[in-house]
Amino acid sequence: MRLPRFAGAVFRGGFGLAFRRVACPFPQRECGDCLLREKCAWSYVFLTPRPEGAGIMRRYDTVPHPFVIEPPHEERIEYSAGAALTFNLVLIGRAIEYLPYFVLAFEQMAAQGLGPGRPRLKIRSITQDGTILFDASAHTFRAPLRKQRLHLRPGADRCGQVKLNFLSPTRITYAGRMCRRIDFHILIRSLLRRLGLLAYFHDQPVELDYTGLIKQAQQVRTSEMHLAGYEWRRYSGRQEREVEMEGMTGTVTYEGNIGPFLPFLRAGELLHVGKGTSFGMGKYELEVG
């Protein structure tokens, strides 16, 4: 099996086809005409339409997806028969209730094959913190051991420096354009927006002083920045064509009053930042100075 350097779109595309097979009872029907659309796992997880009556994002038809698929983070792109491949899944808020659907979808995804030529795979196991939740050999499943509660409030820790290492292509937009220079206030704007929307649509809304936090973020300076462009192509089933994608990878170091932002930065480590997060884009690691 041969995968592209960044295989996020391959995994997400294969998962989407498989998820519809296991979750949608009427795959030939348009979702807008379906009586089950308000209670449908496929619609909620993969299409994620904006709920009727929602008080925000009125100009949009869809809202952020409640999941992140992180493709293998390794330079290796070729896998021989019998080789192991590991990827990560993050479920957000109410999406955790649909974990059994994800398990079935991953089995389907493996059986239908990934990448050019669609070589087939088999799911060996699904684990959480080293504990097996799904054992393919025995076909047994257990519920997640824990759910991590993220506290989206400004922190009180003292911190004067932080370094972000962007591990997957990251696409953050500001003033309608992709940022090739990610200053701290731009990062925080994107992060607060993502975290706030995920909380609003998939868990419990949170109240934050966005204006005050952004003003504080503008006082944090960029001390080092080593970013490079990252381009690739993916096939869009919705558009039925290949789409050019672009993002940034590398490291950025910030200095200033970082403490109030640490809870948001740590949440972003799990939930990613920017565009294309369900593909695994926007993944970063944090080094606190």
Side-chain angles (χ1 to χ4, degrees):
M1 181 174 68
R2 184 178 180 87
L3 295 176
R5 283 189 305 149
F6 176 65
V10 174
F11 277 80
R12 201 259 202 175
F15 163 76
L17 293 172
F19 198 93
R20 183 158 196 178
R21 287 196 186 101
V22 302
C24 177
F26 308 111
Q28 305 305 320
R29 184 178 297 177
E30 292 293 330
C31 293
D33 300 328
C34 182
L35 295 176
L36 301 179
R37 65 183 181 277
E38 298 296 331
K39 300 294 183 181
C40 174
W42 153 256
S43 177
Y44 172 68
V45 168
F46 204 79
L47 300 180
T48 322
R50 177 182 171 274
E52 292 185 13
I56 60 176
M57 292 189 73
R58 291 187 176 91
R59 293 182 298 167
Y60 298 87
D61 296 326
T62 60
V63 299
H65 299 296
F67 71 93
V68 175
I69 295 178
E70 296 181 347
H73 179 63
E74 55 187 4
E75 294 298 323
R76 180 182 185 182
I77 61 173
E78 293 187 356
Y79 296 83
S80 58
L85 179 152
T86 301
F87 63 96
N88 298 324
L89 170 71
V90 181
L91 298 182
I92 301 157
R94 294 191 299 276
I96 297 170
E97 301 170 10
Y98 295 106
L99 178 58
Y101 285 93
F102 281 83
V103 175
L104 292 173
F106 288 142
E107 281 196 308
Q108 288 269 339
M109 182 181 76
Q112 72 192 17
L114 282 178
R118 292 199 176 276
R120 297 182 179 182
L121 301 88
K122 290 184 178 180
I123 296 291
R124 291 182 177 176
S125 64
I126 298 174
T127 64
Q128 181 186 29
D129 298 331
T131 299
I132 295 177
L133 300 183
F134 175 73
D135 184 344
S137 60
H139 214 266
T140 56
F141 172 76
R142 63 182 297 178
L145 303 176
R146 65 176 181 84
K147 301 173 185 178
Q148 183 168 350
R149 173 61 59 181
L150 301 178
H151 299 284
L152 301 181
R153 293 287 184 272
D157 294 342
R158 298 179 66 86
C159 175
Q161 179 176 292
V162 69
K163 179 179 179 181
L164 271 69
N165 181 14
F166 293 99
L167 301 177
S168 69
T170 300
R171 183 180 178 87
I172 294 176
T173 59
Y174 179 61
R177 295 185 177 183
M178 190 192 84
C179 297
R180 298 183 180 278
R181 177 181 176 85
I182 306 176
D183 288 323
F184 192 70
H185 76 95
I186 293 175
L187 173 74
I188 292 301
R189 289 172 193 267
S190 181
L191 199 52
L192 291 179
R193 174 178 171 80
R194 173 159 171 76
L195 298 178
L197 291 177
L198 288 175
Y200 183 92
F201 289 109
H202 303 300
D203 191 70
Q204 296 292 327
V206 294
E207 293 185 6
L208 294 171
D209 180 10
Y210 290 97
T211 301
L213 285 167
I214 290 169
K215 284 183 178 179
Q216 283 184 273
Q218 289 172 330
Q219 305 306 311
V220 176
R221 71 182 186 90
T222 303
S223 59
E224 288 188 50
M225 184 176 295
H226 305 283
L227 295 176
Y230 192 111
E231 299 179 356
W232 78 103
R233 301 172 69 88
R234 72 175 182 88
Y235 181 79
S236 170
R238 181 175 60 85
Q239 301 180 46
E240 297 183 340
R241 65 182 181 90
E242 281 199 333
V243 178
E244 293 185 358
M245 303 290 291
E246 185 180 11
M248 306 297 290
T249 59
T251 63
V252 187
T253 302
Y254 303 107
E255 292 183 352
N257 184 17
I258 309 289
F261 303 99
L262 283 180
F264 308 113
L265 292 169
R266 288 175 174 141
E269 278 191 293
L270 291 174
L271 303 177
H272 298 211
V273 67
K275 305 289 186 179
T277 50
S278 63
F279 297 171
M281 292 177 65
K283 178 177 177 58
Y284 64 83
E285 286 183 347
L286 202 60
E287 295 181 24
V288 179

